[in-house]
Amino acid sequence: AQSVTQLDSHVSVSEGTPVLLRCNYSSSYSPSLFWYVQHPNKGLQLLLKYTSAATLVKGINGFEAEFKKSETSFHLTKPSAHMSDAAEYFCVVSDISARNTGNQFYFGTGTSLTVIP
Amino acid sequence: NAGVTQTPKFQVLKTGQSMTLQCAQDMNHEYMSWYRQDPGMGLRLIHYSVGAGITDQGEVPNGYNVSRSTTEDFPLRLLSAAPSQTSVYFCASSRGESPLHFGNGTRLTVT
């Protein structure tokens, strides 16, 4: 069975300091992994994706994530937080093997990022 | 490319009324899904479809119906609205290994 755990429901950082949002997953197969961002009263936007290529994935707005199979983790990082990064972040696991038989996508419950000026 | 289009953006219903939330995508995605988002609960899957004519229940299907007569469209029907269905609804689609593409959401209030 697949599942996603976002280890922190809220993270608060000062502007200019590093951001770390943690995500652990469980999957029976080789998963695809994604991070989405949702700004207040907006839809979900894809930040980055891992699909079995390079384990360090670079996304938009300076974010990156590293796939660590041994730790079943896919943590999201950014070297220097900006005020505009304040948003909700979702980690998502996709099981492509279930494409024709069932649900593919499993969401974490989200991490709310606050950036302090 | 329009992507995933949801209508309406906002809706207010009285308890017991019915309505349909529309979702259309123009990317030839075989997978389409509906989620509801409530504070503190993330996104919860209502129904999904892996192709035209095929639908299945997700985590919270009660009170909602779906159909998939075409690849492009995946409407969500509320048969008899209840205050517990007050939420933000998102439609999303995907194909193969691509990520989910989301619509902009529908904010529904049931009084």
Side-chain angles (χ1 to χ4, degrees):
Chain A
Q2 282 65 241
S3 68
V4 181
T5 302
Q6 291 185 241
L7 298 164
D8 307 291
S9 58
H10 300 278
V11 171
S12 184
V13 301
S14 296
E15 189 176 18
T17 64
V19 175
L20 170 64
L21 306 182
R22 299 182 294 167
C23 173
N24 284 99
Y25 70 92
S26 66
S27 175
S28 304
Y29 305 95
S30 296
S32 295
L33 295 154
F34 311 93
W35 276 98
Y36 286 83
V37 60
Q38 185 182 30
H39 289 94
N41 299 313
K42 299 290 186 183
L44 280 81
Q45 179 185 17
L46 180 69
L47 269 181
L48 50 80
K49 63 179 180 179
Y50 166 78
T51 54
S52 74
T55 56
L56 183 61
V57 181
K58 294 188 183 299
I60 62 172
N61 301 333
F63 284 94
E64 61 182 38
E66 186 172 8
F67 173 69
K68 292 187 176 180
K69 187 174 182 178
S70 61
E71 299 177 9
T72 60
S73 69
F74 190 58
H75 301 335
L76 182 70
T77 61
K78 183 173 181 178
S80 176
H82 191 274
M83 294 299 295
S84 61
D85 295 327
E88 189 88 11
Y89 292 80
F90 293 95
C91 182
V92 180
V93 174
S94 174
D95 174 13
I96 192 62
S97 67
R99 178 175 63 185
N100 294 321
T101 59
N103 180 34
Q104 302 182 39
F105 296 91
Y106 300 86
F107 280 75
T109 52
T111 298
S112 177
L113 176 65
T114 299
V115 181
I116 304 167
Chain B
N1 255 354
V4 179
T5 303
Q6 283 185 244
T7 56
K9 291 185 179 180
F10 302 94
Q11 183 71 50
V12 178
L13 291 177
K14 295 187 186 301
T15 297
Q17 287 184 317
S18 62
M19 79 157 296
T20 299
L21 306 185
Q22 301 291 347
C23 176
Q25 53 88 12
D26 61 357
M27 298 172 284
N28 198 30
H29 286 174
E30 74 270 13
Y31 182 89
M32 296 187 73
S33 53
W34 277 101
Y35 295 87
R36 60 177 290 172
Q37 185 176 29
D38 303 292
M41 304 191 74
L43 275 79
R44 292 183 292 170
L45 182 66
I46 304 171
H47 285 283
Y48 66 95
S49 169
V50 297
I54 306 169
T55 63
D56 208 345
Q57 297 181 350
E59 180 185 357
V60 287
N62 292 341
Y64 307 95
N65 277 357
V66 292
S67 60
R68 185 93 180 270
S69 56
T70 67
T71 300
E72 294 78 18
D73 299 298
F74 191 46
L76 178 72
R77 297 183 186 85
L78 282 70
L79 303 176
S80 178
S84 61
Q85 294 178 305
T86 294
S87 187
V88 181
Y89 292 85
F90 288 99
C91 179
S93 70
S94 176
R95 180 177 182 83
E97 292 190 6
S98 76
L100 280 171
H101 296 252
F102 283 88
N104 288 329
T106 296
R107 188 173 295 273
L108 175 67
T109 302
V110 183
T111 61

